[in-house]
């Protein structure tokens, strides 16, 4: 964030800053909903109402991320961030009431928690995790200790982690990919039969495209309402591109995004064929 601020404060380098969508990744806090205290919906809902995404946007993320009120990022097929934004809105008074309804007034009797996440996280992730832990203490009176874990061990044990932080980005450009990770038997122990049926039906549906999207959107509504996770932010990676790098790879797409797109510099991508070094490039010679 500090380096980006330096780049944006200089008019010359500010024009070289591009903002993309990467792999439409969503970073989120997740729960083991089969284990106390997160087997209570009211507890999970309380946690979802004390994350101040606007404060994080202003103080931590800046242009490197966008607030995530739901799982699917803006611009991704079936994304409905505006329609779902109210479900996990910042409302600490509601959060306190829900926690009291669950039997923990002002956090009394609530167990101290360990928030686990993968080692090697970015400064953005580190600051977000610390900020959320502070918000849980401030608004709900819950003590949270932050613990990092070896990345491979984290993924091996993810289903047994009570309270954690992780990300997920697309492998292919379809809602079935992103929403499929939440179906029964996926990466988390959460299970919902209605959700499973909607996602599975929509995945193989060959009829009207709008009807298919509507099924995915209804599935995401169930996901957000049942709170197996508290969504934090969608990655919007920053790229610094010199003015002598040109080509269609940097031209705005249908969503107005002008940046190197997923999959980037990969064998299945076309970036190398869409970018050129212009005659204005410095030669390095006197």
């Amino acid at each position: 964030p500090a380096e980006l601020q330096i780049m944006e404060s200089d008019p010359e380098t500010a024009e070289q800053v591009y903002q993309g969508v990467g792999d439409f990744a969503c970073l989120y806090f997740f729960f083991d909903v089969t284990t106390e205290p997160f087997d209570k919906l009211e507890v999970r809902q309380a946690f979802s109402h004390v994350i101040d995404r606007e404060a994080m946007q202003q103080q931590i993320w800046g242009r490197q991320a966008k607030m995530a009120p739901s799982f699917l990022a803006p611009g991704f097929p079936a994304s409905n961030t505006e329609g779902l934004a109210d479900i996990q809105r910042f409302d600490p008074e509601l959060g306190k009431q829900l926690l009291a309804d669950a039997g923990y007034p002002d956090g009394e009797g609530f167990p101290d928690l360990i928030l686990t996440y993968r080692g090697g996280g970015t400064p953005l992730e580190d600051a977000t995790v610390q900020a959320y832990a502070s918000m849980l203490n401030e608004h709900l009176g819950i003590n949270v200790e932050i613990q990092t874990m070896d990345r491979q061990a984290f993924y091996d044990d993810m289903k047994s982690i009570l309270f954690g932080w992780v990300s997920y980005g697309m492998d292919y450009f379809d809602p079935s990919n992103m929403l499929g990770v939440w179906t029964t038997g996926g990466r988390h122990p959460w299970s919902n039969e209605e959700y499973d049926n909607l996602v599975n039906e929509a995945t193989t549906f060959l009829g009207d495209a709008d009807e298919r999207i509507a099924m995915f959107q209804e599935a995401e509504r169930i996901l957000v309402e049942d709170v197996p996770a508290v969504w934090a932010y969608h990655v919007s990676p920053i790229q610094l591109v010199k003015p002598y790098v040109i080509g269609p790879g940097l031209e705005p797409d249908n969503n107005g995004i002008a940046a190197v797109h997923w999959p980037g510099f990969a064998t299945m991508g076309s970036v190398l064929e869409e970018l050129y070094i212009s005659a204005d490039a410095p030669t390095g010679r006197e």
Side-chain angles (χ1 to χ4, degrees):
E3 293 173 348
L4 177 59
Q5 188 174 4
I6 293 173
M7 302 304 297
E8 291 183 317
S9 64
D10 184 321
E12 181 179 346
T13 53
E15 294 183 356
Q16 301 171 20
V17 175
Y18 290 75
Q19 183 177 17
V21 294
D23 58 355
F24 290 93
C26 181
L27 284 88
Y28 58 91
F29 300 93
F30 64 90
F31 313 110
D32 179 354
V33 301
T34 66
T35 304
E36 294 183 352
F38 297 118
D39 57 342
K40 291 185 177 181
L41 175 60
E42 293 87 353
V43 170
R44 305 196 303 272
Q45 289 174 326
F47 273 56
S48 76
H49 289 301
V50 297
I51 180 171
D52 191 345
R53 298 179 185 87
E54 289 190 4
M56 290 181 175
Q57 183 82 71
Q58 295 172 7
Q59 301 173 23
I60 301 173
W61 307 331
R63 288 181 60 187
Q64 297 185 81
K66 296 180 180 179
M67 295 184 290
S70 52
F71 187 48
L72 299 182
F76 195 79
S79 173
N80 186 25
T81 52
E82 291 187 8
L84 302 176
D86 190 59
I87 298 173
Q88 294 193 14
R89 68 187 183 280
F90 178 60
D91 188 342
E93 291 304 315
L94 177 58
K96 291 177 184 178
Q97 182 60 55
L98 285 162
L99 195 66
D101 293 344
Y104 305 101
D106 296 320
E108 183 180 344
F110 199 92
D112 291 345
L113 291 176
I114 294 178
L115 173 53
T116 306
Y117 77 115
R118 309 156 298 172
T122 67
L124 217 61
E125 291 184 67
D126 294 341
T128 301
V129 169
Q130 292 166 7
Y132 186 49
S134 297
M135 291 170 184
L136 288 169
N137 182 261
E138 175 186 357
H139 299 301
L140 298 180
I142 295 172
N143 296 318
V144 180
E145 176 186 344
I146 298 171
Q147 170 185 283
T148 58
M149 181 183 289
D150 173 77
R151 293 181 73 86
Q152 190 57 54
F154 176 91
Y155 285 116
D156 289 344
D157 297 338
M158 192 159 62
K159 285 188 177 181
S160 64
I161 293 173
L162 179 65
F163 181 36
W165 163 260
V166 76
S167 66
Y168 190 78
M170 72 172 192
D171 297 303
Y172 56 91
F173 199 59
D174 189 81
S176 61
N177 174 219
M178 294 289 290
L179 296 177
V181 303
W182 288 97
T183 54
T184 301
R187 68 175 355 198
H188 298 292
W190 181 73
S191 178
N192 183 292
E193 184 177 0
E194 185 180 2
Y195 178 88
D196 288 351
N197 290 338
L198 281 166
V199 172
N200 292 332
E201 181 181 356
T203 297
T204 58
F205 185 72
L206 300 178
D208 181 73
D210 290 340
E211 185 177 347
R212 181 174 186 262
I213 290 297
M215 285 189 282
F216 281 126
Q217 289 182 333
E218 179 58 27
E220 189 184 18
R221 176 174 292 278
I222 294 170
L223 177 68
V224 177
E225 288 179 340
D226 209 43
V227 202
V230 172
W231 324 109
Y233 64 81
H234 300 296
V235 176
S236 53
I238 299 297
Q239 302 161 3
L240 180 66
V241 184
K242 289 298 182 181
Y244 49 80
V245 179
I246 61 174
L250 294 172
E251 296 173 0
D253 63 9
N254 293 336
N255 293 307
I257 299 171
V260 173
H261 283 49
W262 185 95
F265 292 91
T267 54
M268 73 285 284
S270 57
V271 171
L272 292 175
E273 291 80 18
E274 295 179 345
L275 294 181
Y276 306 88
I277 304 300
S278 76
D280 298 328
T283 64
R285 296 192 294 270
E286 294 292 338

